[in-house]
Amino acid sequence: NAGVTQNPKFQVLKTGQSMTLQCAQDMNHNSMYWYRQDPGMGLRLIYYSASEGTTDKGEVPNGYNVSRLNKREFSLRLESAAPSQTSVYFCASQNHAGGTSGGGETQYFGPGTRLLVL
Amino acid sequence: AQSVSQHNHHVILSEAASLELGCNYSYGGTVNLFWYVQYPGQHLQLLLKYFSGDPLVKGIKGFEAEFIKSKFSFNLRKPSVQWSDTAEYFCAVNVWADYKLSFGAGTTVTVRA
């Protein structure tokens, strides 16, 4: 049981290049998330997918697109990378059961992808 | 989106000292509250959470947090820290039935042996 895995671990891009960050979870969770972590700003939600077949914007979606390929996989794409997208990107998953917890289930995080855009 | 404020950016302590990290949020309705921790080189992981019941919650590694609704606060405490508690700590909030988390900026805790 690997939990949440992310690829690649590190990437250097030039301004204007594109890339896709991969995320997969093997816990059969229905919700998946992409965050970016910047010094002094905590984690900010880029996009999320509450269930297979749905995606929604988070707090900082500009410059990104996502695909929920199936229940396991949720990818993040940078179409034209900019230096402002230099960050550490985390994927997370959650099995929200609804009902009495109201979303209080734990989110499980991947190891992160460090991206440098020159 | 609701905002989450963590009062301290960096805390430096000696082993056996007590730790308290402040967290306040801005949303006035029902919320779920979390503390996550990121040890050096590791994934973020859940330390503890509150979504109903006893406002004093206990988590892993001797941590606890108290939800004070009137103060919109969820402060994290540990009576006696160890060197292994060196990490970054994040407070997070989600509005009831909304599955998005809002995180605070994080507090880096350095424990000196």
Side-chain angles (χ1 to χ4, degrees), chain A residues 44-112:
Chain A
R44 292 180 293 168
L45 183 65
I46 305 170
Y47 271 93
Y48 69 104
S49 171
S51 60
E52 187 179 355
T54 68
T55 60
D56 282 289
K57 295 178 180 179
E59 185 183 351
V60 289
N62 291 344
Y64 305 95
N65 284 300
V66 290
S67 295
R68 183 75 182 266
L69 303 169
N70 47 55
K71 193 171 187 180
R72 289 188 63 248
E73 298 172 288
F74 187 40
S75 63
L76 178 72
R77 184 159 177 84
L78 287 70
E79 292 290 351
S80 179
S84 61
Q85 294 178 303
T86 292
S87 188
V88 181
Y89 292 85
F90 288 100
C91 178
S93 71
Q94 178 189 44
N95 193 34
H96 66 81
T100 57
S101 73
E105 294 83 5
T106 302
Q107 286 194 12
Y108 293 85
F109 287 81

Side-chain angles (χ1 to χ4, degrees), chain B residues 50-66:
Chain B
Y50 170 84
F51 62 89
S52 66
D54 189 342
L56 183 63
V57 293
K58 296 189 184 300
I60 60 172
K61 303 189 180 188
F63 284 90
E64 65 179 29
E66 185 175 14

